[in-house]
Amino acid sequence: MKSYEVNFDGLVGPTHNYGGLSYGNVASQSNSQQSSNPKEAALQGLAKMKALMEMGFQQGVLAPQERPDVGALRRLGFSGTDAQVIEQAAKQAMPLLVANCSASSMWVANAATVSPSADTADGRVHFTAANLNCKYHRSIEHPTTSRVLGAMFADQKHFAHHAALPAVAQFGDEGAANHTRFCREYGEAGVEFFVFGRSAFDTRYPEPQKYPARQTLEASQAVARLHGLSDDGVVYAQQNPAVIDQGVFHNDVIAVGNGEALFYHEDAFLDTEQMLAELSAKLAKCGGQFKAICVPRSQVSVEDAVRSYLFNSQLLSRADGSMLLIVPQECQNNPRVWQYLQELTRSGGLIREVKVFDLKQSMQNGGGPACLRLRVALNETELAAVNPGVIMTAPLYGTLTQWVDKHYRDRMTESDLADPQLLLECRTALDELTQILKLGAVYPFQIN
Ligand code: SUG
């Protein structure tokens, strides 16, 4: 049976803004308080989805969340009508209003961890919504994420959904941003690679000194258990704490895998040799041949990797077995990274082509091409069981761009978030969106 990697991209929500909310994420911190352009952000994301669809890849779309999150503000003690809740929060605790307005659900690599049916004990595709417990503004995403994923992958014969892990730092889980899968074919059993930043219960693992390590080993192990993965089908590796301290807040800022290949920076991991040997041995048991593509620090420094987001790229398989790298424009703007990419594609290795996308609006908050997509490997039967409303087509692209043009503002600053009109605009837009994507009622304002 045919199988595919389907990329579900997060549609940028109407409140996209630069809140400076993510300590440890260099772009988020350095662009704090700049004015944003939500309309441009959403159109940039849609342009990438359309381009991949036109290249022949399977492409889907994941809906944004309701923001401002008035329910979350109420849980923090603000009361009255919805407009009064926003007004009080703006007056008394602007940082809380900003956090409750974040459009951060666009980075759907953090929405969930997904295990394809070929890897799981019950032969279903498993999803665990990420608790995103390290940052308040992201920790409020998972209830709606679960409802949206449930509406997209509703058929229980093929899809199993797990609630987010306990919402404590010891089980900090950032979803697919710290998870990669290696396989020969997408439909065959593979090796799931879980990368963690620290251990919550075992003091032998070193920790970063400056910035938080968001993903714990214990969270990764819990997800592997929930999904029914076999020991032979799993490899755990620790991120180098020194790179977390340089701004690598997720492993997908310094490594990306696809098929049998791992493209990574020399300084990305601890115990790299042992990890490569384990990946190679376990993939061989699945009939695959592991291929490591290491980028040496002498050619690209960690700083350049973080600035350019070279590794936050999408590594895609082409029909002839070679691979294509989707990178953000920031890679082209960095002479050392661009030089490296020229040499890489000319070398006759696995990665033959690089395509550049302008995703500046998202990049300025630390979200590149890979952050914006959730990969779901599906066989033909499973793909047919996905809600067809969320699969990208030329007409859907047209409808969504019109929807963005109609509802989104082209400028947003902190003071705009206090405008009670913004809440109404967002709800009107999202109500229409659930009809476009045929999701049913998934937002708090639709179900409460
Ligand atoms: O969690 N930025 C996100 C970026 C997530 C990127 N995802 C992956 N690497 N997969 C984060 O730090 C910034 C929001 C703000 O500052 O307004 C933010 O949440």
Side-chain angles (χ1 to χ4, degrees), residues 17 19-22 25 28 110 137-138 177 214 250 252 365-366 371:
N17 72 96
L21 299 170
S22 279
N25 167 343
S28 152
N110 306 115
H137 71 288
R138 304 222 59 186
R214 298 194 195 185
H250 288 137
D252 70 2
N365 251 341
C371 300

Side-chain angles (χ1 to χ4, degrees), residues 168-418:
V168 289
Q170 285 159 317
F171 288 105
D173 178 18
E174 299 279 319
N178 290 309
H179 174 260
T180 298
R181 176 173 183 265
F182 300 103
C183 59
R184 198 169 54 175
E185 296 287 337
Y186 294 119
E188 292 179 5
V191 179
E192 301 205 12
F193 181 45
F194 289 87
V195 182
F196 59 94
R198 70 186 183 98
S199 164
F201 293 96
D202 190 335
T203 52
R204 285 173 301 177
Y205 294 92
E207 298 206 6
Q209 301 299 304
K210 187 176 170 196
Y211 291 143
R214 298 194 195 185
Q215 179 88 29
T216 68
L217 169 62
E218 291 77 6
S220 299
Q221 289 169 329
V223 172
R225 273 191 298 272
L226 285 164
H227 292 194
L229 305 181
S230 70
D231 287 346
D232 270 352
V234 173
V235 172
Y236 299 100
Q238 184 170 7
Q239 242 189 307
N240 179 355
V243 301
I244 296 180
D245 281 339
Q246 289 175 79
V248 182
F249 57 99
H250 288 137
N251 183 60
D252 70 2
V253 175
I254 198 137
V256 57
N258 173 50
E260 299 173 310
L262 174 65
F263 179 61
Y264 68 102
H265 190 274
E266 183 178 1
D267 293 329
F269 305 101
L270 281 184
D271 303 324
T272 309
E273 289 313 311
Q274 188 202 319
M275 171 199 98
L276 294 175
E278 201 183 340
L279 284 171
S280 184
K282 289 190 170 173
L283 188 58
K285 283 193 191 166
C286 303
Q289 203 187 352
F290 183 66
K291 299 173 179 91
I293 307 166
C294 177
V295 180
R297 73 177 80 85
S298 58
Q299 281 184 273
V300 177
S301 66
V302 173
E303 193 188 346
D304 279 336
V306 171
R307 280 215 188 125
S308 66
Y309 262 41
L310 166 62
F311 296 94
N312 199 259
S313 44
Q314 286 178 256
L315 188 56
L316 301 169
S317 299
R318 303 197 301 184
D320 66 0
S322 69
M323 291 193 191
L324 155 72
L325 202 63
I326 303 287
V327 300
Q329 204 155 57
E330 285 69 6
C331 287
Q332 202 166 20
N333 300 342
N334 181 308
R336 291 167 298 280
V337 169
W338 194 241
Q339 169 79 20
Y340 171 80
L341 284 172
Q342 301 302 303
E343 287 168 22
L344 179 73
T345 47
R346 276 197 222 114
S347 69
L350 194 58
I351 302 174
R352 299 277 165 76
E353 193 186 352
V354 169
K355 277 202 190 294
V356 178
F357 283 82
D358 178 4
L359 296 164
K360 189 161 181 241
Q361 286 290 325
S362 166
M363 282 289 289
Q364 292 189 145
N365 251 341
C371 300
L372 287 163
R373 59 96 172 94
L374 181 67
R375 297 187 279 188
V376 186
L378 297 168
N379 64 34
E380 253 171 332
T381 317
E382 291 156 355
L383 181 56
V386 176
N387 178 342
V390 299
I391 301 296
M392 187 55 78
T393 58
L396 179 60
Y397 170 78
T399 307
L400 288 174
T401 50
Q402 277 168 19
W403 172 83
V404 169
D405 275 332
K406 177 172 156 199
H407 295 286
Y408 281 48
R409 299 188 186 188
D410 59 11
R411 188 182 140 81
M412 193 149 302
T413 58
E414 192 178 274
S415 59
D416 297 312
L417 303 175

